[in-house]
Amino acid sequence: MAVPLRSSTQVSSERFEETISGENRIEELSGSELGSEDEYEDMGTATPEEQANIAYLDSVRIPIKEDLATSTSITQDETLKVVLPFLEGNPNDFPLNSHGISQLQRKRHVVYLEDALDDYPSGYAMMDASRPWIIYWALQGLTALGEDVSEHQRRVAHTFSLAQHPEGGFGGGYGQYAHMACSYAATLSMATAGGEATYESINRKTMWQFLGRMKQADGGFTMCQGGEEDIRGAFCAMVVLSLLNLPLELPKDAPARGQGLTTFTDNLGEWVSKCQSWDGGISAAPGNEAHGAYAFCGLGCLSVLGPPKETLNKYLNIPLLVHWMSSRQCSPEGGYNGRTNKLVDGCYSHWIGGCWSLVEAATTTGIWNRAALGRYVLAAAQDKKGGLRDKPGKRSDAYHTCYNLAGLSAAQHHYVYDEGVNKGLGEVGLGAPFRWKVGGIYHEDAIWDSSDVVGKIHPVFVIPFRAVFECRKYFEDKENF
Ligand code: FPP
Ligand code: K
Ligand code: ZN
């Protein structure tokens, strides 16, 4: 892709240098100043797609900068230097779609994720406790790319039968203590792989007892016995209870019963409410700094608890949350950061991008740029070696592959909460998440072609819709544990 005269990279990078050099800041930021007509004529033989990319970046303003350099402003400047070339040009030499953006490299990512499900060298031993996560990220990423993962059913069931703790819940592997995050990732993995034998390998009664031991008197959940209480626990517990159709009554021996609680949902909405911080975001626990990953957990938890329109509006200040979420979309990068004054990162394509689906079911509309997010994922987050990444210069991994793709799906699909969906399923007991459907795919003003559209992903459970409905149906049809 040779661009004679003046490459797109040069055009915007020069402006970027000018901007960070500190002179004429305000003038440079005033829209039309960013690109004169002459410069477009200058681009000579640049293709229409390349010209469109340059025009796009010229329309995206670099925020007003102060003279004071801090470690925050310095790392942000360095980040723009590594990201911009991928938005302006095509350093990966990927084939481009009809909008001049890198096509979704399905094959490379499928090979990458299949490999992530394979053996690991000894250096990865420290990752052993994260095995359920790695399996979940890989399986979920593969389904987002359109792959059938049912061939992995037996391996998945076997792996998790070893990681299941005799007293309930899942650990990272054989002999490890049960943990909320492992139980969440294990449940999602098994639901995604599907199949009766896989479902039957889950001991739902001891899982229910494990979750009962995690419930706290203030309404929240701990991550493990004696461990930290945070909003991940609240979300993971709700996901497992709902997908496995477990009873909402606390087990007889649940410690929280001693403090007057009787159900898993007692005081839960109130506890999540306390996690919304002064700036509108949601934090791990009351009083902490708001963060994208915890925002998704909070919204997900409330979206399991009941219809988002009811629960989100009841327990959260939505206008303030929308302001905080909108502020997370980085300009000109297009992707999201996870918290104020931090850097764009592909995983927040989901942790924040995915929040919009839930928030938009509770209020009229979100305030975000779907195309800009898609642009970041396709142009900057795809790794030439396969898999997706935090940002250019970082290695791809299963986590960033899964959540970049989930975020891309959120940008591309209109996920709709509809009371009329799935009549007969989820009529009692945490049934709200079974009311979602796809309303349509965004194509107008989009920067993706049909072949760049990833699969539909359930906005609360972040696994395929089919897996969600089949799993819940299977456990609704069972008489008891
Ligand atoms: C900050 O890391 C990240 C966190 C404080 C928490 C992240 C938590 C999750 C991704 C998972 C939660 C979800 C579930 C379902 C258990 P950082 O300081 O390295 O990154 P940053 O600079 O982008 O904030
Ligand atoms: K990060
Ligand atoms: Zn990340």
Side-chain angles (χ1 to χ4, degrees):
M1 292 274 313
V3 185
L5 294 178
R6 198 162 182 196
S7 81
S8 55
T9 308
Q10 284 168 317
V11 174
S12 288
S13 293
E14 274 165 25
R15 286 199 192 106
F16 168 63
E17 294 294 345
E18 288 160 15
T19 308
I20 62 171
S21 75
E23 283 153 307
N24 299 324
R25 288 193 181 82
I26 305 298
E27 289 86 326
E28 279 160 16
L29 290 166
S30 54
S32 59
E33 300 287 334
L34 280 172
S36 70
E37 305 271 324
D38 293 352
E39 278 172 303
Y40 292 120
E41 279 163 27
D42 243 21
M43 292 191 296
T45 59
T47 65
E49 290 79 17
E50 286 162 345
Q51 293 187 30
N53 277 346
I54 295 161
Y56 166 77
L57 282 161
D58 282 347
S59 74
V60 182
R61 298 168 185 212
I62 293 170
I64 295 170
K65 289 178 56 71
E66 289 186 31
D67 285 325
L68 179 68
T70 65
S71 57
T72 301
S73 72
I74 291 164
T75 51
Q76 173 59 24
D77 292 345
E78 288 165 0
T79 298
L80 280 187
K81 275 193 185 156
V82 301
V83 171
L84 276 175
F86 285 83
L87 298 179
E88 296 158 344
N90 181 20
N92 279 325
D93 278 321
F94 285 149
L96 302 180
N97 68 19
S98 68
H99 305 273
I101 310 283
S102 300
Q103 291 173 4
L104 178 64
Q105 301 296 299
R106 285 179 196 273
K107 273 236 176 66
R108 290 176 207 261
H109 305 324
V110 168
V111 169
Y112 181 84
L113 291 175
E114 290 285 359
D115 187 51
L117 285 171
D118 232 315
D119 289 340
Y120 286 77
S122 60
Y124 283 83
M126 62 168 189
M127 294 276 288
D128 193 42
S130 301
R131 186 189 299 233
W133 273 126
I134 296 169
I135 295 169
Y136 162 65
W137 297 325
L139 292 176
Q140 167 49 28
L142 285 167
T143 64
L145 292 163
E147 295 293 297
D148 175 2
V149 297
S150 58
E151 67 187 79
H152 296 296
Q153 275 176 4
R154 280 169 58 105
R155 277 180 81 208
V156 168
H158 175 68
T159 297
F160 287 113
S161 68
L162 295 174
Q164 192 157 219
H165 194 280
E167 287 169 13
F170 292 85
Y174 181 76
Q176 298 180 26
Y177 286 125
H179 194 278
M180 272 292 190
C182 299
S183 301
Y184 166 87
T187 300
L188 294 183
S189 300
M190 287 188 279
T192 302
E196 191 173 335
T198 315
Y199 296 148
E200 285 298 325
S201 72
I202 304 173
N203 189 330
R204 289 164 66 243
K205 181 161 191 187
T206 56
M207 174 66 90
W208 176 66
Q209 290 166 334
F210 164 70
L211 296 175
R213 293 192 295 274
M214 300 303 110
K215 179 72 180 179
Q216 302 299 299
D218 64 4
F221 290 81
T222 53
M223 293 305 288
C224 60
Q225 194 75 50
E228 69 277 29
E229 179 186 19
D230 67 42
I231 205 160
R232 294 171 305 159
F235 176 55
C236 293
M238 285 297 106
V239 163
V240 173
L241 287 166
S242 175
L243 264 182
L244 302 185
N245 189 34
L246 294 173
L248 289 190
E249 297 77 43
L250 286 166
K252 287 280 164 286
D253 57 353
R257 274 198 180 268
Q259 286 135 315
L261 271 58
T262 55
T263 77
F264 278 103
T265 55
D266 285 353
N267 298 342
L268 180 58
E270 289 77 7
W271 189 85
V272 171
S273 188
K274 286 191 277 181
C275 293
Q276 184 167 32
S277 56
W278 60 274
D279 56 1
I282 300 177
S283 59
N288 289 9
E289 181 189 11
H291 192 280
Y294 301 127
F296 185 80
C297 290
L299 292 167
C301 175
L302 294 178
S303 300
V304 179
L305 204 52
K309 203 171 194 113
E310 285 170 29
T311 55
L312 268 56
N313 286 298
K314 178 170 178 195
Y315 295 113
L316 297 171
N317 179 334
I318 295 296
L320 207 55
L321 174 69
V322 166
H323 177 269
W324 179 84
M325 281 168 54
S326 287
S327 308
R328 302 279 63 72
Q329 190 157 25
C330 301
S331 178
E333 301 94 311
Y336 281 92
N337 66 15
R339 44 181 165 151
T340 305
N341 278 328
K342 297 225 64 180
L343 308 173
V344 66
D345 176 343
C347 64
Y348 302 123
S349 307
H350 165 72
W351 296 121
I352 301 281
C355 282
W356 287 117
S357 306
L358 309 179
V359 166
E360 286 174 351
T363 185
T364 45
T365 180
I367 303 172
W368 61 308
N369 189 328
R370 291 169 179 269
L373 177 59
R375 184 183 284 267
Y376 182 79
V377 172
L378 291 173
Q382 297 195 89
D383 189 334
K384 185 138 203 177
K385 297 201 188 90
L388 291 93
R389 59 195 175 193
D390 165 346
K391 59 177 65 65
K394 304 267 185 181
R395 283 170 185 274
S396 53
D397 56 55
Y399 165 82
H400 286 93
T401 303
C402 170
Y403 292 121
N404 265 296
L405 294 174
L408 183 58
S409 179
Q412 294 170 332
H413 294 82
H414 183 208
Y415 293 115
V416 178
Y417 185 87
D418 179 349
E419 287 292 347
V421 167
N422 274 320
K423 283 279 175 227
L425 189 72
E427 295 297 337
V428 286
L430 304 180
F434 306 98
R435 306 277 93 87
W436 288 88
K437 67 176 186 189
V438 172
I441 296 177
Y442 288 91
H443 277 300
E444 213 178 311
D445 300 327
I447 53 79
W448 45 79
D449 289 343
S450 297
S451 53
D452 305 316
V453 175
V454 294
K456 53 181 188 170
I457 298 174
H458 190 281
V460 180
F461 295 128
V462 198
I463 57 175
F465 275 76
R466 175 203 57 77
V468 165
F469 300 147
E470 284 180 14
C471 180
R472 173 75 182 212
K473 174 94 176 70
Y474 184 84
F475 292 123
E476 280 194 9
D477 289 348
K478 273 177 87 84
E479 291 290 310
N480 41 38
F481 288 121

